[in-house]
């Protein structure tokens, strides 16, 4: 009955917030995860990081306004790869303002504890997962 070739695999649409070293490592891991993904949004306030991302991910929708990016290119998963000094509340507000996001993954340096992630993103109507990139790899 179940011909595996006939089963349509869902492609997860991914937004990455921040494109520093951790984001590069996440991309490496995602390329080997065996899951069909499409990185469709890259948000970073640093123009040099966006340029580097453009070389690695040609054609990806990139910029510094997360709310606009998510409206232009809806995503299923948002991966937050930022340093702990960045306030996550505006990111949570941008995510809350769009539909379609199914989960948020927060790299540990962006929130050093589950309590910090919950304080900043706990009002989101989707699951928020805190993880360390080495576990993701």
């Amino acid at each position: 009955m179940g011909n595996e070739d006939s089963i349509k695999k869902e492609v997860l649409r991914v937004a990455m917030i921040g494109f520093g070293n951790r984001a590069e490592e996440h991309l490496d891991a995602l390329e080997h995860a065996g899951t069909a993904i499409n990185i469709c949004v890259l948000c970073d306030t640093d123009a040099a990081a966006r340029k580097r991302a453009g070389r690695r991910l040609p054609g990806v929708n990139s910029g510094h306004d997360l709310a606009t990016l998510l409206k232009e290119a809806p995503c299923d998963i948002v991966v937050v790869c930022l340093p702990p000094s960045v306030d996550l509340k505006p990111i949570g507000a941008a995510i809350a303002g769009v539909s379609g996001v199914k989960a948020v993954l927060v790299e540990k340096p962006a929130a050093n504890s589950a309590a910090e992630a919950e304080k900043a993103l706990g009002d989101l109507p989707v699951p928020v997962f805190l993880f360390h990139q080495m576990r993701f790899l």
Side-chain angles (χ1 to χ4, degrees):
M1 281 211 265
N3 181 350
E4 289 185 27
D5 293 333
S6 67
I7 297 173
K8 186 176 181 179
K9 270 190 149 179
E10 180 182 6
V11 176
L12 291 175
R13 301 166 300 172
V14 177
M16 296 194 76
I17 304 173
F19 200 76
N21 292 335
R22 294 293 161 247
E24 292 266 10
E25 291 170 359
H26 288 299
L27 284 177
D28 292 341
L30 288 168
E31 287 173 353
H32 295 94
T35 300
I37 64 158
N38 177 26
I39 307 293
C40 50
V41 166
L42 184 284
C43 184
D44 201 304
T45 57
D46 180 13
R50 290 193 309 270
K51 186 175 182 178
R52 193 173 57 253
R55 287 192 299 268
R56 173 99 187 245
L57 301 165
V60 71
N61 193 9
S62 68
H64 59 84
D65 183 342
L66 180 61
T68 299
L69 290 168
L70 290 174
K71 286 176 185 168
E72 291 173 354
C75 295
D76 303 305
I77 306 291
V78 176
V79 178
V80 181
C81 299
L82 297 169
S85 60
V86 175
D87 183 6
L88 297 179
K89 287 185 181 184
I91 291 167
I95 295 168
V98 298
S99 62
V101 174
K102 297 175 184 169
V104 177
L105 307 177
V106 181
E107 165 66 33
K108 185 175 182 274
N112 287 314
S113 69
E116 283 183 26
E118 183 176 4
K119 184 178 177 182
L121 302 171
D123 291 336
L124 287 175
V126 297
V128 176
F129 300 95
L130 178 68
F131 65 99
H132 186 279
Q133 65 89 15
M134 293 308 290
R135 291 191 177 132
F136 194 55
L137 290 172

